[in-house]
Amino acid sequence: MIAEALAGRRIAITGATGFVGTALVERLLRSVPRCELVLLVRDGKRSPAARRTQREILANDAFDRLRDDLADTNEDFDAMAERRVTTVAGDVGRDGLGLSEDDRDVFTTCDVIIHSAATVSFDSPLDGAVETNLLGPTRIVQLLNAVDATPHVVAVSTCYVAGNRRGNAPEQLVSAGPFDIGLDWRTEVAAARRMRSDAEAASRTSDRLTGFAKAARTELGAAGAPALSAKTEQLRQRWVKDQLVEAGRSRASSVGWPDAYAFTKALGEQALTDSKGDVPVSIVRPSIIESALAEPRPGWIRGFRMAEPVIISYARGLLREFPGVPEGTVDVIPVDMVVAAIIAVAALGREQAPPIVQVASGGVNPLKYRALVDNVSGWFGEHPVYDAEGQPIIVPEFSFPGRGRVQRQLRRAQTVITRAEKVLQALPLRGRQAELSATLETRRLEVDRAVQYVELYGLYTECEAIYQVDNLLDMWERLDEADRGRFDFDPRRIDWPTYIREVHLPSIIQHARVKTTATKTSTDRAKRLRRQVLDPKRQVAAFDLENTLIASNVVESYSWLATRRLNRPERLRYVARTLTEIPTLLLLDRADRTDFLRHFYRRYEDAPVAQIDEDAKELLTQLIITKSFPDGIRRVRQHRALGHRTVLITGALDFVVEGLRPLFDEIFAAEMTVRADGTYSGEMVTVPPTGETRAQILADYCDAEGLRLDECVAYADASSDLPLLEAVGFPVAVNPETRLAAVARKRGWLVEHWAKASGGPRSLLPIGGLLVERERNRSFR
């Protein structure tokens, strides 16, 4: 009956790039072979709507079964899709759906419109949820009314429009009976739009902008003006979003809904009912949609739904307990049952379809929270995931605390970790020591996510509403046996232990890409990233010098040159003077590397060029080579052997690195002007190669040589090098300082720990690494 009823029909679908939408497209193409589909897809930033259909919908593995079925009959999938699927570029968040005149005609002349587009995130900004969830369905019927079109509209909503209630939740309109609390959706729309304007204005006050800039510098250090400006703006935008997320959560809670998603969906139903006019409308309300029971294959899922982040966090030992009522019902429904019910409503048509159908399990086949926890805990006891060191993670025994207790525990953990991070960031840690800071940041992010899960999903696990499915079961009773076999939407047929243990958990473990074998993650990932870095297809390898290839710096080079002609007492006085200036110059270096180099290189004023050139030759062997990292030098040679260009970009002075020229195709170093009397002025010829200047130098070099930045590798050690590392396709953090170690871990970059060879000569005086004042001119004579 269902396939025959929809045969020859044109069915429009919004939200086809989403979880339910993709499943709808697949099921209609496979199970209703004579229908045609019109997909309303939003143009992407880089991909037009038609390309998004190909890449994000039809290329999904949901269509593997259909591809195989067609191959068995010698039919080509792409040819079938081209014949039966039309894409129109549009956006339910815009008035008129943003359709061109031609696309509007295609969309509005369809026989059925299934509206599944939604902002499904439970923590979406209030104004975004209003524009899509509340106004989206209304924009569709307003467009249809404007052209006197009356296709059957099937709008996908959610059972949670019932709000924070206990007991039975029947299939009735939100604005009917006890659901109606007197809200006006138009007033809520206007208020949400004002909140966006107010938040944007508040984010631009002087105090807040100063705070964002300070936070950016705390996170990135002396990364250069462009990187810091970009991070400052990112923090400002995040603050605005957070304000709107909190506004949505607060407003929803104040009027009895768990979050902005359920709140705006409820108002969306109200607005749709008020605006539909003569357009026939059916509303389908699923509960919590999870992986497929059977169609297109058991366990098929797209993206993470509500339960997956919580389950994975529990399996990894990050979330030891989660709020909930043990005897309460967790209302879960597989996505293929939701899709089958939507198609059945569309097949019944405007005359026979119920106005509201709830697709839920709690009223007829309840899954109790304790049963869910016991099945999850038991499965992970038998199939543990592994930590980064290759050790199995033993899942904790689950308790059922209140939401407040869990939140307090997590907040305390956040406070402790944040304080520890501040202490570590103030210390001059580098390399493996700095990894501790990166590990702490990872742990803080995990705790932050746990807090978010509790805040977002805690109300759902504590929900005690029982969603009635009388209309759903009435539709089921009307089906013949053939349709029941092809379009199963009876929740009574789910065996929960089998579904959880044999279908859902194996699927989400596969999609989450968690470790299921006893291997060390860091080792495996490092090997994979190293292979990418040393692939012959790479074109350029750019290296920083200090703490990347050698355990030295511009201060130590100066100290060696300045003191080599001093006697022992003079050297001791030199070191003593230097110690007093260390704190000031450290602060200058952390604030701005370029300003520090300009300030420091003033110490070379009046230094004889001839003497420096002579001493620099010995500097190479006595300091640079002895303090080099053998693994670093070996890496440079590996790149050269692979045919990659090797480039040194350093803030060190040119005469210091001249002896390294045989290793590099090009060296970009700092240069000082020379006076007519053959002495250095202490002033720079150009801006020293630091921060964003390094990125520009490499970009200009690649442009001049016809090479690609995305095929370049860059090696550096500090957060001030972020512009260079972010500019290339293959960044490598070498012996990273604290901030860069955290960034590298967060972004999944290759991290190398290179060290000096043991047994090298040691200086008799503690000159190396000191920040010094300008030595008297006689030091160079």
Side-chain angles (χ1 to χ4, degrees):
M1 179 190 80
I2 291 177
E4 290 74 10
L6 294 175
R9 299 292 186 93
R10 294 178 78 196
I11 303 171
I13 300 175
T14 70
T17 58
F19 180 37
V20 172
T22 298
L24 263 171
V25 173
E26 189 278 336
R27 183 69 79 87
L28 286 167
L29 290 177
R30 178 165 53 84
S31 301
V32 187
R34 288 188 291 150
C35 73
E36 295 181 7
L37 304 183
V38 175
L39 309 184
L40 187 144
V41 178
R42 186 174 64 247
D43 282 329
K45 292 181 178 179
R46 298 181 180 178
S47 300
R51 185 174 298 175
R52 291 190 67 202
T53 295
Q54 293 296 325
R55 292 183 176 180
E56 300 179 34
I57 304 173
L58 299 179
N60 188 274
D61 60 357
F63 295 87
D64 290 350
R65 176 176 174 180
L66 178 55
R67 291 178 187 275
D68 292 342
D69 291 347
L70 292 174
D72 291 341
T73 60
N74 296 317
E75 187 174 355
D76 181 68
F77 176 85
D78 292 334
M80 179 279 300
E82 185 175 358
R83 185 178 71 254
R84 295 180 59 193
V85 178
T86 301
T87 300
V88 297
D91 183 355
V92 298
R94 297 173 56 191
D95 291 339
L97 307 186
L99 292 167
S100 67
E101 187 173 344
D102 290 342
D103 285 347
R104 183 190 63 190
D105 292 341
V106 171
F107 184 80
T108 57
T109 54
C110 288
D111 301 291
V112 179
I113 296 176
I114 300 175
H115 173 56
S116 68
T119 298
V120 297
S121 173
F122 295 155
D123 62 342
S124 57
L126 178 59
D127 63 322
V130 163
E131 293 298 334
T132 301
N133 297 343
L134 195 164
L135 292 175
T138 298
R139 290 189 176 105
I140 291 174
V141 295
Q142 287 175 339
L143 175 64
L144 296 174
N145 283 322
V147 296
D148 294 324
T150 56
H152 181 200
V153 173
V154 181
V156 181
S157 184
T158 174
C159 284
Y160 292 93
V161 297
N164 299 327
R165 60 180 295 160
R166 293 184 173 92
N168 291 339
E171 295 161 298
Q172 66 181 30
L173 289 172
V174 174
S175 56
F179 285 86
D180 186 10
I181 62 171
L183 295 180
D184 179 73
W185 62 269
R186 295 176 182 83
T187 301
E188 298 299 327
V189 170
R193 288 172 172 171
R194 282 197 304 272
M195 285 180 186
R196 163 66 70 173
S197 299
D198 292 346
E200 287 286 351
S203 73
R204 289 172 164 82
T205 63
S206 177
D207 288 347
R208 287 210 170 90
L209 291 175
T210 299
F212 300 143
K214 183 178 179 181
R217 180 167 288 279
T218 298
E219 182 174 343
L220 299 183
L228 290 172
S229 297
K231 173 56 70 172
T232 300
E233 176 59 14
Q234 182 186 84
L235 292 173
R236 188 197 67 80
Q237 292 177 2
R238 186 184 302 167
W239 183 88
V240 171
K241 178 183 176 182
D242 289 345
Q243 298 305 301
L244 292 168
V245 167
E246 183 56 36
R249 190 177 296 149
S250 298
R251 180 56 179 155
S253 176
S254 72
V255 288
W257 277 276
D259 51 43
Y261 170 69
F263 172 58
T264 53
K265 277 291 192 179
L267 292 179
E269 288 190 14
Q270 183 187 103
L272 178 61
T273 303
D274 290 349
S275 308
K276 67 180 183 178
D278 294 330
V279 176
V281 171
S282 298
I283 296 172
V284 177
R285 293 176 181 161
S287 57
I288 300 170
I289 308 174
E290 292 295 347
S291 65
L293 178 66
E295 304 276 350
R297 69 167 188 277
W300 178 82
I301 194 169
R302 177 167 191 167
F304 268 8
R305 317 321 306 161
M306 190 193 91
E308 284 70 62
V310 176
I311 290 173
I312 295 300
S313 294
Y314 172 67
R316 294 177 61 196
L318 307 178
L319 197 60
R320 306 186 66 84
E321 54 187 6
F322 199 80
V325 180
E327 64 270 32
T329 297
V330 180
D331 206 310
V332 172
I333 194 76
V335 65
D336 47 341
M337 288 194 166
V338 175
V339 166
I342 292 170
I343 294 173
V345 169
L348 286 172
R350 65 185 71 195
E351 301 298 333
Q352 300 183 59
I356 296 176
V357 176
Q358 293 184 159
V359 191
S361 60
V364 292
N365 183 16
L367 171 62
K368 298 299 182 181
Y369 190 31
R370 182 179 291 280
L372 172 63
V373 168
D374 289 346
N375 277 284
V376 169
S377 177
W379 193 85
F380 282 113
E382 298 168 5
H383 308 88
V385 300
Y386 291 78
D387 63 20
E389 298 302 315
Q391 298 299 311
I393 298 172
I394 307 303
V395 291
E397 184 174 345
F398 209 88
S399 60
F400 299 90
R403 196 153 32 97
R405 192 183 94 185
V406 178
Q407 286 176 319
R408 286 192 297 273
Q409 290 174 346
L410 292 172
R411 294 293 185 195
R412 283 196 295 269
Q414 281 179 316
T415 300
V416 171
I417 293 172
T418 300
R419 289 175 179 171
E421 274 190 303
K422 289 182 178 179
V423 171
L424 288 176
Q425 285 182 353
L427 299 175
L429 303 179
R430 180 173 294 280
R432 296 190 186 280
Q433 294 174 323
E435 286 290 311
L436 176 59
S437 176
T439 300
L440 267 181
E441 181 178 31
T442 300
R443 184 63 181 170
R444 177 178 58 77
L445 292 174
E446 290 169 348
V447 173
D448 290 347
R449 282 195 295 270
V451 171
Q452 187 180 40
Y453 297 156
V454 171
E455 291 176 345
L456 292 179
Y457 305 141
L459 282 169
Y460 287 86
T461 55
E462 293 177 338
C463 178
E464 296 186 76
I466 304 299
Y467 305 109
Q468 302 303 295
V469 290
D470 297 339
N471 292 339
L472 181 77
L473 297 182
D474 180 64
M475 286 199 311
W476 179 255
E477 294 303 322
R478 294 194 232 172
L479 298 184
D480 58 30
E481 286 302 316
D483 274 344
R484 288 184 179 185
R486 285 181 292 180
F487 298 95
D488 184 2
F489 55 79
D490 184 357
R492 297 169 298 187
R493 296 160 63 91
I494 305 171
D495 178 73
W496 289 116
T498 300
Y499 173 73
I500 294 167
R501 288 172 167 265
E502 299 180 17
V503 176
H504 188 61
L505 292 178
S507 175
I508 67 170
I509 286 298
Q510 178 183 357
H511 282 79
R513 298 179 180 178
V514 295
K515 281 174 56 63
T516 56
T517 57
T519 57
K520 287 191 176 183
T521 303
S522 56
T523 303
D524 293 344
R525 184 174 63 246
K527 289 179 179 178
R528 174 176 53 82
L529 294 173
R530 207 169 283 125
R531 284 195 299 269
Q532 294 176 359
V533 162
L534 293 173
D535 191 301
K537 291 185 292 186
R538 304 293 85 82
Q539 296 178 355
V540 179
F543 291 84
D544 180 24
L545 179 67
E546 299 163 2
N547 296 307
T548 301
L549 293 177
I550 63 171
S552 183
N553 52 51
V554 299
V555 177
E556 192 165 6
S557 300
Y558 171 81
S559 298
W560 192 93
L561 292 168
T563 61
R564 64 181 266 96
R565 287 175 168 76
L566 297 181
N567 58 36
R568 187 178 183 86
E570 288 175 323
R571 285 177 130 197
L572 288 171
R573 286 194 294 272
Y574 173 87
V575 172
R577 287 195 305 271
T578 297
L579 291 173
T580 63
E581 200 179 1
I582 288 176
T584 301
L585 291 180
L586 272 174
L587 289 174
L588 180 59
D589 188 26
R590 288 183 176 182
D592 190 292
R593 181 68 174 171
T594 300
D595 288 347
F596 164 74
L597 290 178
R598 281 202 179 100
H599 174 83
F600 188 78
Y601 286 157
R602 295 285 190 269
R603 289 155 175 75
Y604 282 96
E605 185 179 356
D606 297 329
V609 174
Q611 180 184 312
I612 291 294
D613 288 345
E614 178 184 346
D615 291 346
K617 296 173 185 177
E618 192 173 347
L619 172 71
L620 176 68
T621 57
Q622 294 295 317
L623 182 69
I624 305 297
I625 298 300
T626 59
K627 295 216 167 188
S628 66
F629 302 140
D631 288 335
I633 302 302
R634 188 177 300 114
R635 182 62 58 83
V636 177
R637 288 174 173 155
Q638 284 178 297
H639 281 292
R640 289 180 69 84
L642 290 166
H644 305 160
R645 304 279 187 92
T646 55
V647 178
L648 180 65
I649 308 177
T650 175
L653 289 161
D654 53 353
F655 53 76
V656 172
V657 298
E658 182 61 28
L660 297 175
R661 191 165 293 280
L663 287 172
F664 297 97
D665 294 292
E666 196 74 51
I667 292 180
F668 298 95
E671 297 179 58
M672 288 186 296
T673 57
V674 178
R675 296 169 176 157
D677 64 356
T679 61
Y680 284 112
S681 67
E683 298 176 358
M684 299 288 95
V685 174
T686 58
V687 177
T690 61
E692 64 271 22
T693 308
R694 294 187 181 189
Q696 189 60 53
I697 286 171
L698 183 60
D700 292 343
Y701 175 78
C702 289
D703 187 55
E705 298 294 325
L707 302 170
R708 291 170 47 185
L709 267 176
D710 62 354
E711 288 292 351
C712 291
V713 185
Y715 296 81
D717 70 295
S719 61
S720 59
D721 300 308
L722 275 173
L724 174 64
L725 294 169
E726 291 174 333
V728 302
F730 301 89
V732 183
V734 180
N735 303 330
E737 46 80 54
T738 303
R739 290 188 180 93
L740 183 59
V743 171
R745 173 174 290 198
K746 189 184 302 181
R747 301 186 186 181
W749 292 351
L750 175 62
V751 176
E752 299 283 18
H753 298 289
W754 294 338
K756 295 186 300 178
S758 60
R762 299 177 65 86
S763 175
L764 294 177
L765 292 173
I767 293 173
L770 297 176
L771 296 173
V772 300
E773 66 177 346
R774 187 177 70 175
E775 180 55 25
R776 293 171 296 174
N777 292 338
R778 63 176 181 156
S779 301
F780 293 105
R781 294 171 185 162

